[in-house]
Amino acid sequence: MEKKKRVVYHHLFKLALASSIVSICSVLLVFALQRMTEWTEHHIFETVSTTNKIGLIFLPTVGITAIYFLRKFLFKGRKNKGITEIYKTLDQRKEHLPAFKVPSHLLNGFLTVISGGSTGIEVSSVVATATAGNMLHKQHFSANLYKRELICAGVTAALAVLFASPVAGLLFALEVTARKTSKPLFISCGVSALISWTFIWQTEGTSLLSTTVKDWHGYAIPLFVILSLLGGLLSIYFTLLLTRIKKLFGNINNNFLRVNLGAVSVGIFIFIFPQLYGDSYHGLKEILNEPGSIALLSLFVLVLLKPLAAALTLGAGGDGGVFAPSIVAGALLGILFAQVCNTYLGMDLIPLNFALVGAAATLSASIYAPFTALVLVCCMVPQGFQLFIPILLGSFVAYYFAKLIIPYNVYTYDFYLAKNET
């Protein structure tokens, strides 16, 4: 018995050490990608929009065309399929995360966002770091049964760095990636979260939004519930758009037509509404700083167009996922809801509070991860945990409401299709 315990502890020690290696590599990769993407996205957008705004229409075509040629010649025609690749690796026990997925996802995600593709680098980062964990597993540095654990260590680090929240990274790895809990998983993800926290602290990682939460009142709870239901509906709209547009574009055999149909459509949207450019976090910040500066009709259109632009970006061949579009569309929905109540019902609602609840509700229902959405959105702003109860309410109401109406989210639906293809 003592010998068996020593063997188990030895394996767990090697798992913790291997998780540390994966985490260090992952935080460095994602930190570099995030900083490069933010800087390049800002400078390209500012340059084009001030010198020749019509160029915004064609920027997504440039980026997605570049991705097409990179995929064809550099990566030998092998496609990226997002987080579905992680599920296939874990559940089908096949090799769906070869080493080329690291540069492929990082480079393609970078090109998609900086050229205006209306998605984010979150899913690209997650799959790349999951691949890093899988690569170390193949070296037999730890016990062979710890493949899931090392993949989740990479995923934890990616989300932790992107949102300056190690706890959100850990919860996402358990809720969405592993879809179960165990002692080895807590060790690998815990080690990764600790290393990520140290890195964030040393690099002075900041919240996604700078506006500080001040207060909220109990009388707003019924309004938060209504907004959460609307957020659940928005996530369903996004999921159905994404799955159907990807299916539609998958049936287009002409590569030139497929790329340009989606990319030029996104470019036209960006030309009319520059807030849709790239991950749209910059546009969200501008609207939050002056909620009354944009017409209610324009806000409503943005809420509907952000998921559509993201779906078209991915359908055309861009790299990314539902994180940034869900957060931005949900936040815009919350601002719209507050502004409508203030304008037509004579209320005095705080747009920031409703933006955060809307973001949490839509994200939770889109990825079926209420705990991840709760912590991640609380960490998006300084003192965000003051809104813990409303955001908790938004995350779970939207999650159960969306699950009641439609039994799958975009991740599980893609995986279902992948299993039936094989």
Side-chain angles (χ1 to χ4, degrees):
M1 183 63 71
E2 287 299 323
K3 183 178 179 181
K4 184 178 180 180
K5 281 186 177 180
R6 284 198 299 271
V7 171
V8 170
Y9 288 143
H10 178 69
H11 284 324
L12 293 177
F13 174 77
K14 291 182 71 175
L15 172 63
L17 188 57
S19 299
S20 301
I21 297 170
V22 172
S23 304
I24 292 169
C25 294
S26 297
V27 296
L28 292 175
L29 280 173
V30 175
F31 179 75
L33 175 66
Q34 184 185 39
R35 291 301 174 91
M36 287 173 59
T37 303
E38 288 176 352
W39 186 89
T40 312
E41 179 188 13
H42 172 75
H43 281 274
I44 290 179
F45 175 75
E46 288 295 322
T47 301
V48 176
S49 58
T50 54
T51 56
N52 184 13
K53 190 178 177 181
I54 200 168
L56 292 174
I57 296 175
F58 305 103
L59 269 178
T61 299
V62 174
I64 298 177
T65 300
I67 290 171
Y68 169 76
F69 283 112
L70 283 172
R71 184 176 294 139
K72 182 175 181 179
F73 297 109
L74 182 61
F75 301 117
K76 311 299 182 185
R78 294 172 290 187
K79 296 180 179 180
N80 292 334
K81 295 185 178 180
I83 206 165
T84 307
E85 296 166 309
I86 301 177
Y87 290 156
K88 291 170 75 174
T89 289
L90 294 177
D91 295 352
Q92 297 180 2
R93 299 183 181 181
K94 296 179 181 178
E95 185 49 58
H96 294 286
L97 290 174
F100 86 90
K101 292 290 181 184
V102 175
S104 175
H105 275 286
L106 294 179
L107 186 55
N108 292 351
F110 172 75
L111 289 171
T112 299
V113 174
I114 67 167
S115 63
S118 204
T119 181
I121 60 169
E122 292 85 1
V123 170
S124 302
S125 302
V126 162
V127 181
T129 53
T131 303
N134 187 59
M135 288 168 61
L136 188 61
H137 169 263
K138 288 166 64 177
Q139 302 304 313
H140 304 292
F141 188 81
S142 60
N144 193 50
L145 57 90
Y146 291 143
K147 179 178 183 177
R148 187 180 301 266
E149 285 74 9
L150 292 179
I151 285 175
C152 287
V155 170
T156 299
L159 261 293
V161 172
L162 288 172
F163 292 98
S165 176
V167 177
L170 184 148
L171 289 171
F172 180 80
L174 296 177
E175 272 192 298
V176 179
T177 308
R179 292 155 293 156
K180 66 178 185 178
T181 57
S182 66
K183 183 178 179 180
L185 274 169
F186 278 115
I187 290 173
S188 62
C189 295
V191 167
S192 182
L194 182 60
I195 289 173
S196 301
W197 174 81
T198 305
F199 183 83
I200 293 166
W201 175 59
Q202 288 293 327
T203 56
E204 298 181 350
T206 56
S207 304
L208 181 65
L209 305 174
S210 58
T211 311
T212 303
V213 172
K214 295 180 180 178
D215 199 6
W216 72 279
H217 301 283
Y219 65 77
I221 286 181
L223 298 174
F224 287 135
V225 172
I226 296 171
L227 175 60
S228 303
L229 296 174
L230 293 174
L233 289 175
L234 181 59
S235 77
I236 293 169
Y237 162 72
F238 186 17
T239 297
L240 295 177
L241 263 182
L242 192 54
T243 52
R244 280 154 178 73
I245 286 178
K246 286 172 73 174
K247 185 177 181 180
L248 174 67
F249 276 66
N251 292 329
I252 300 176
N253 295 321
N254 187 306
N255 294 318
F256 177 83
L257 179 61
R258 184 177 66 250
V259 168
N260 284 279
L261 181 62
V264 172
S265 299
V266 173
I268 293 171
F269 293 158
I270 293 169
F271 178 76
I272 301 171
F273 294 101
Q275 297 93 338
L276 295 173
Y277 190 95
D279 53 32
S280 296
Y281 291 141
H282 65 289
L284 176 60
K285 292 174 186 177
E286 291 174 2
I287 293 172
L288 272 174
N289 288 335
E290 294 184 64
S293 64
I294 183 169
L296 294 179
L297 180 59
S298 296
L299 259 179
F300 176 73
V301 173
L302 281 172
V303 170
L304 296 180
L305 281 186
K306 182 60 187 179
L308 177 58
L312 288 168
T313 298
L314 297 175
D319 204 286
V322 302
F323 255 88
S326 296
I327 290 170
V328 172
L332 293 174
L333 175 66
I335 296 170
L336 173 64
F337 184 85
Q339 292 294 84
V340 167
C341 290
N342 292 343
T343 303
Y344 295 105
L345 301 179
M347 296 183 177
D348 189 24
L349 305 182
I350 302 171
L352 175 63
N353 293 359
F354 283 82
L356 295 176
V357 173
T362 308
L363 179 63
S364 172
S366 294
I367 64 175
Y368 282 7
F371 290 105
T372 300
L374 166 64
V375 175
L376 189 150
V377 173
C378 283
C379 293
M380 277 174 52
V381 293
Q383 300 180 22
F385 279 93
Q386 287 193 32
L387 280 178
F388 182 85
I389 293 176
I391 293 174
L392 173 71
L393 195 65
S395 298
F396 280 89
V397 168
Y399 166 70
Y400 284 111
F401 181 59
K403 204 169 185 180
L404 182 67
I405 295 177
I406 185 169
Y408 56 80
N409 64 4
V410 66
Y411 293 153
T412 55
Y413 184 69
D414 276 356
F415 182 55
Y416 170 79
L417 292 179
K419 285 197 294 186
N420 280 273
E421 285 173 2
T422 55

